[in-house]
Amino acid sequence: MPSVRVRNPLDHSRPAHAPHPEEQDGRVYVDAVTSDLRPSDEPERIALGKESRAPIDRLMQQAKAGTRPSGLGIRLLSGAIYCLLTAACVLLSEATTAIYLAVLCGICSWEFFVMLRADAKMPNETIGIVAAVAFPLAAWIFGGWGIVAVLALLMSALLAWYVFFPRARVSDVAVSLFGALCTGLMMCGAMVMRMSVPDIWGGVLLLVVLVSIWGNDAFAYLVGSAFGKHKMAPIISPKKSWEGFFGGLAFSIAAWVGISFLPGVTLHVAVAVVLGILCGIFGVLGDLVESRIKRNSGFKDSGFAMPGHGGLLDRCDSQFLVFVIAALGLVLTGGIPTVL
């Protein structure tokens, strides 16, 4: 077997653009710049299923370009429908809350995986989306053990996929797991809060937490538009400012102080202030994480499920971390009973 030698890029004895290595004097010469001595299947991975994914590719192009109906009226109408539908499902019962969250998780995870596909990743959308949908349903039906069971099945399915599908890489498994955990597992915090307080007050608690998230975003935008001068993350999200951040944080604190007075919630005002600060911070962090993913993937919006707004993931990115922090904070401080 001939030995392998890496050619110096400055050595022009063979054209640098030659497509194949050459053999001279019993040695195989390869360019250091154009080859890493490892079979590369990246072009095939990127083109894998390209023809069968044509409809998804068209959706990706629209989301990348930020194709959305314009106009303040459309934006307000779709936002109002979203808020009213959310409030109705959350207040009606635990069952409607779980079903609503499952649908939300499914759409958000689909948008997430579409963006990662555009970034030359190859996640397993089927496993990821099914797991994301199953997490809130399992939390409602089986409690904590249901969440553990879905997590175990998710890991087992992804490992089996990795073993029996040669094109899958560890990075693909990681992306599939990351998407299911972010858009599915973290939503279980919402079910914890909904189930912890009996009757309609569990729904009121969850709804006020949602209002704190929406108000944080709205006040950050309004204050930042009026007074914003110092950029928070100029590369990832150029429109965010520190002035807007503190404006949104003030609303989050006020909303959490209101939560401390809800029936069924035992929360000192000082603890509520701390939780309001934490939820405000982690809400912005979740927003920035999604902005980073969109920037890396070349997307302006995660989708177009909400006319005038973009995708559902654009509207829910702040919720994932906040639901976890809120549920943990309330349970650990004795604000609500442990139900899982």
Side-chain angles (χ1 to χ4, degrees):
M1 179 179 178
S3 62
V4 177
R5 179 181 178 186
V6 178
R7 184 192 300 274
N8 188 326
L10 298 179
D11 182 2
H12 299 289
S13 59
R14 184 174 65 91
H17 61 272
H20 302 291
E22 62 180 344
E23 182 175 347
Q24 293 180 359
D25 302 327
R27 293 178 177 177
V28 175
Y29 289 82
V30 295
D31 287 331
V33 175
T34 60
S35 174
D36 59 358
L37 306 180
R38 177 178 59 82
S40 175
D41 61 349
E42 194 66 26
E44 296 179 5
R45 285 164 51 83
I46 296 175
L48 183 64
K50 185 175 181 180
E51 294 182 359
S52 62
R53 294 179 54 83
I56 294 181
D57 291 338
R58 287 194 294 270
L59 298 181
M60 288 168 58
Q61 292 300 323
Q62 294 181 30
K64 281 186 175 183
T67 303
R68 60 168 89 166
S70 59
L72 180 61
I74 294 178
R75 183 179 178 87
L76 291 176
L77 178 61
S78 61
I81 293 174
Y82 169 71
C83 292
L84 291 174
L85 179 62
T86 300
C89 292
V90 166
L91 294 175
L92 188 58
S93 68
E94 294 178 5
T96 55
T97 302
I99 295 172
Y100 166 76
L101 290 175
V103 173
L104 207 63
C105 291
I107 297 175
C108 288
S109 60
W110 182 80
E111 292 179 351
F112 175 88
F113 290 130
V114 167
M115 289 194 295
L116 268 295
R117 279 276 180 180
D119 196 23
K121 305 297 189 299
M122 195 178 72
N124 190 313
E125 293 97 334
T126 302
I127 296 177
I129 293 174
V130 169
V133 171
F135 272 118
L137 295 175
W140 168 54
I141 298 173
F142 302 108
W145 288 111
I147 298 175
V148 173
V150 173
L151 184 58
L153 290 173
L154 169 62
M155 290 297 301
S156 300
L158 288 176
L159 291 176
W161 173 60
Y162 176 68
V163 170
F164 295 106
F165 192 76
R167 294 184 184 275
R169 296 179 178 177
V170 173
S171 59
D172 302 324
V173 175
V175 167
S176 304
L177 179 63
F178 179 67
L181 296 183
C182 280
T183 61
L185 177 61
M186 289 188 171
M187 282 290 196
C188 292
M191 284 308 303
V192 171
M193 290 183 284
R194 180 62 180 87
M195 297 162 58
S196 63
V197 183
D199 301 324
I200 195 174
W201 292 109
V204 174
L205 168 61
L206 179 55
L207 185 59
V208 177
V209 172
L210 283 167
V211 169
S212 74
I213 299 171
W214 299 336
N216 187 0
D217 291 341
F219 270 70
Y221 172 77
L222 294 174
V223 175
S225 299
F227 307 103
K229 295 182 179 179
H230 302 86
K231 301 296 183 181
M232 175 185 289
I235 296 178
I236 299 176
S237 186
K239 295 183 179 181
K240 280 186 169 50
S241 66
W242 284 107
E243 291 82 0
F245 167 75
F246 287 110
L249 199 63
F251 185 92
S252 178
I253 294 172
W256 272 89
V257 170
I259 289 175
S260 66
F261 294 99
L262 289 179
V265 177
T266 307
L267 195 64
H268 193 276
V269 173
V271 178
V273 170
V274 173
L275 289 178
I277 294 173
L278 290 176
C279 289
I281 293 173
F282 279 94
V284 174
L285 177 60
D287 193 350
L288 290 175
V289 168
E290 200 237 354
S291 296
R292 173 70 185 272
I293 294 173
K294 289 193 296 185
R295 186 165 292 274
N296 287 351
S297 304
F299 278 66
K300 182 178 180 182
D301 301 318
S302 66
F304 43 88
M306 289 184 62
H309 291 263
L312 272 180
L313 189 58
D314 292 323
R315 303 280 67 80
C316 299
D317 50 12
S318 301
Q319 297 179 17
F320 303 127
L321 284 172
V322 171
F323 283 158
V324 174
I325 298 300
L328 283 176
L330 287 169
V331 170
L332 294 178
T333 59
I336 57 176
T338 304
V339 293
L340 296 183

